[in-house]
Amino acid sequence: MGEAAESLLKHMPDASGFDIPPADIRETQVAALNERFQEQVGRIKLVKLRAQDADITEIASLEDVVPLLLPHTAYKSYPESFLTEKKWDRLTKWLGTVSAYPTDGVDLSEVKEIDDWVEACAKAGLFVACSSGTTGKSAMLVASKKDLDFTSQDGISAVQWGSKIRAGDMRTSAGAAGAVAYTHKNAAMGMAMMGAFVDPDAPRFQSGLPPVTVGSLTKMITLRKAIADGTAKPGEIQEYEAETESRQKGLDDAQLRAVDDIISKRNEKLYITGMWGALYPFAEAVRAKGYSAKDFHPQNGVYLGGGLKRAKLPDDYREFVYETFNLQPEYIYQMYGMQELGTSMPRCQEGHRYHVPPWLVPLPLNKEGDALVPGVGDKDFQGKVEGRAAFFDLSMDGRWGGVISGDHIEIDYSPCACGNRSPSIADNVYRYSDLEGDDKIGCAGTVDAYVRGLS
């Protein structure tokens, strides 16, 4: 990694970069973008093709990096037949189009199912994390061991910047039961967080639910599509319905036990984790048993990741959860992030905005995703703009750091009410697809064609 990128990343351990004005680091960020480009253009096939297509040999401005950004759909561009027909060699070759490291060292001799393939990749140092794929195919995001370590350390640092939760607090873990998607990234992050904030001797709730693996997701998505287009066999439908019923019963039972678990720990200083869609009904169940803020420890902390994820909740859902578990503002940690990034954007306490660290370069784009929003390319730009969220994460090692998301954001380049001067994002993020149905990114079709041709 180059000198410019290192100078920005050095702010991560102590979260010292959130009070740096954007203008003060713009030149360093552009230099770091060029460093990463020169380092990886010859290593990541898709980036090389994008650079050739746009005739880019150097990044000298933020505008130069826009044609090199990959739409988030690039990580879903493998043909489904590679999974359904178990073409593991082809899937591995596809992974090689988006990986910064060669995939020819992956031993496929013992691979029979997709979960075997994920583990075979991990043994070769390629850690593949898959999205839930609830709206289609799973995104397959490759990362290196260096990425897992960075994400874990950054997560701990961000929590301590965005709240009064501290490493060594020796808290007791609790939260809503849920079927957790197992990935090496999630496992590394979870272990790091628990190691930092939770008493290792405190009892931990065990849901007993099987982890959601890539294989189980793939099976579910494939069968859903087969049912939708009428090609599913009666036996497959019956098996799917029985499995769905069994999973739901297991989840309901686990949730009842999770409610009893947190009530039994109500006098302890808790570390609660979860997403709004799960925490709200969890809080309702606790209230139904007669418990609320007066019964819980005043220094309980909560880690809130992600938005509503299509959950339909009342307008006061936040306050309801806070008041149930006696959560004070200074112990509430919220962040904005996405699977495609290795960096967290913590929410500040005073301005209630998500702050962007110096090594994560925000690149708000027009809706089509092919141009910067006017003004933000200027070094001294200040003020608010809104548009499609795109970022370049300079920390990324195992894949390209530049990604175009499906999110709409409002970002402010002026100082925040909290006093910090980094760019900050309003807490009103939404997905284009949620409001407008099908979401089209201009370059997505071109990128898909590139990848299919290479794999």
Side-chain angles (χ1 to χ4, degrees):
M1 191 172 290
E3 183 179 340
E6 289 286 6
S7 72
L8 297 169
L9 287 162
K10 73 179 182 182
H11 293 287
M12 186 273 284
D14 61 358
S16 59
F18 293 108
D19 195 29
I20 303 175
D24 289 6
I25 54 171
R26 172 59 61 83
E27 291 181 4
T28 305
Q29 287 180 327
V30 172
L33 289 169
N34 189 53
E35 287 175 350
R36 299 303 278 149
F37 173 66
Q38 301 303 334
E39 290 162 3
Q40 294 193 313
V41 67
R43 298 170 60 196
I44 304 176
K45 295 175 183 177
L46 183 52
V47 174
K48 182 178 180 180
L49 283 168
R50 295 284 288 161
Q52 289 174 343
D53 188 51
D55 195 25
I56 291 176
T57 58
E58 180 183 16
I59 295 175
S61 67
L62 294 189
E63 287 81 1
D64 290 341
V65 79
V66 173
L68 303 175
L69 300 174
L70 302 184
H72 63 96
T73 54
Y75 298 101
K76 301 180 181 181
S77 60
Y78 56 90
E80 283 184 273
S81 62
F82 290 2
L83 298 184
T84 57
E85 298 175 20
K86 302 183 179 182
K87 297 178 179 178
W88 311 124
D89 57 336
R90 302 296 299 277
L91 187 62
T92 305
K93 188 177 179 182
W94 168 82
L95 191 69
T97 66
V98 293
S99 173
Y101 291 94
T103 59
D104 49 13
V106 178
D107 181 2
L108 301 174
S109 61
E110 301 297 323
V111 176
K112 294 181 174 59
E113 302 294 342
I114 183 64
D115 293 333
D116 302 329
W117 179 78
V118 170
E119 288 306 311
C121 289
K123 289 178 181 177
L126 305 167
F127 299 93
V128 181
C130 299
S131 69
S132 62
T134 52
T135 57
K137 287 192 295 185
S138 294
M140 295 197 182
L141 300 157
V142 63
S144 67
K145 180 62 165 58
K146 185 177 179 180
D147 290 325
L148 301 189
D149 292 342
F150 181 90
T151 295
S152 299
Q153 188 180 1
D154 173 64
I156 294 169
S157 176
V159 168
Q160 295 180 100
W161 184 86
S163 74
K164 285 190 176 180
I165 300 172
R166 293 291 178 267
D169 271 356
M170 302 293 279
R171 295 175 176 272
T172 298
S173 63
V180 179
Y182 176 82
T183 68
H184 291 93
K185 178 183 176 181
N186 287 351
M189 186 78 162
M191 286 179 63
M193 292 292 181
M194 290 294 177
F197 306 125
V198 173
D199 181 352
D201 296 325
R204 296 189 185 183
F205 175 72
Q206 302 296 329
S207 71
L209 297 170
V212 179
T213 65
V214 183
S216 60
L217 284 171
T218 302
K219 180 180 177 182
M220 177 187 70
I221 293 166
T222 301
L223 190 51
R224 277 182 178 175
K225 289 189 174 183
I227 292 172
D229 62 25
T231 60
K233 298 175 182 178
E236 291 175 330
I237 297 174
Q238 187 176 7
E239 180 185 354
Y240 173 75
E241 290 176 343
E243 185 175 334
T244 300
E245 184 179 349
S246 175
R247 281 184 175 273
Q248 187 60 54
K249 183 180 185 306
L251 182 58
D252 292 343
D253 291 345
Q255 189 73 302
L256 291 174
R257 291 188 291 108
V259 169
D260 290 339
D261 178 73
I262 198 169
I263 290 172
S264 72
K265 297 172 178 175
R266 62 188 180 278
N267 295 321
E268 305 297 326
K269 186 165 58 174
L270 299 177
Y271 176 68
I272 303 169
T273 58
M275 299 174 68
W276 289 116
L279 284 175
Y280 182 81
F282 183 59
E284 282 187 311
V286 170
R287 293 274 190 113
K289 291 211 166 191
Y291 296 90
S292 61
K294 68 183 186 306
D295 303 296
F296 285 90
H297 196 287
Q299 292 183 16
N300 283 345
V302 64
Y303 181 114
L304 292 160
L308 292 178
K309 303 292 186 184
R310 297 181 171 83
K312 303 298 183 183
L313 302 178
D315 291 342
D316 66 343
Y317 67 93
R318 296 175 191 253
E319 292 76 15
F320 186 84
V321 170
Y322 298 159
E323 290 165 7
T324 300
F325 301 113
N326 200 14
L327 293 165
Q328 305 306 312
E330 63 267 28
Y331 292 105
I332 297 169
Y333 173 71
Q334 297 185 69
M335 54 83 73
Y336 173 53
M338 53 190 70
Q339 288 285 344
E340 293 83 3
L341 301 176
T343 296
S344 301
M345 289 170 268
R347 186 176 186 257
C348 68
Q349 292 288 328
E350 293 82 7
H352 309 302
R353 300 181 67 86
Y354 301 108
H355 283 259
V356 185
W359 63 88
L360 184 62
V361 184
L363 300 158
L365 305 177
N366 58 4
K367 182 183 174 184
E368 293 72 27
D370 58 9
L372 285 174
V373 170
V376 299
D378 300 336
K379 175 184 173 182
D380 297 318
F381 177 79
Q382 287 198 339
K384 295 180 182 178
V385 296
E386 54 183 280
R388 183 181 291 275
F391 299 91
F392 198 105
D393 190 339
L394 293 162
S395 77
M396 292 305 306
D397 175 64
R399 63 179 182 270
W400 188 233
V403 64
I404 304 172
S405 80
D407 289 350
H408 175 279
I409 60 168
E410 175 195 293
I411 183 168
D412 195 343
Y413 289 81
S414 304
C416 178
C418 71
N420 287 286
R421 294 173 288 177
S422 64
S424 58
I425 295 170
D427 192 9
N428 58 4
V429 179
Y430 68 82
R431 291 181 178 180
Y432 283 99
S433 60
D434 285 348
L435 293 187
E436 303 175 25
D438 192 23
D439 179 28
K440 298 293 186 183
I441 299 175
C443 63
T446 305
V447 168
D448 284 359
Y450 276 152
V451 173
R452 287 176 184 269
L454 284 168
S455 57

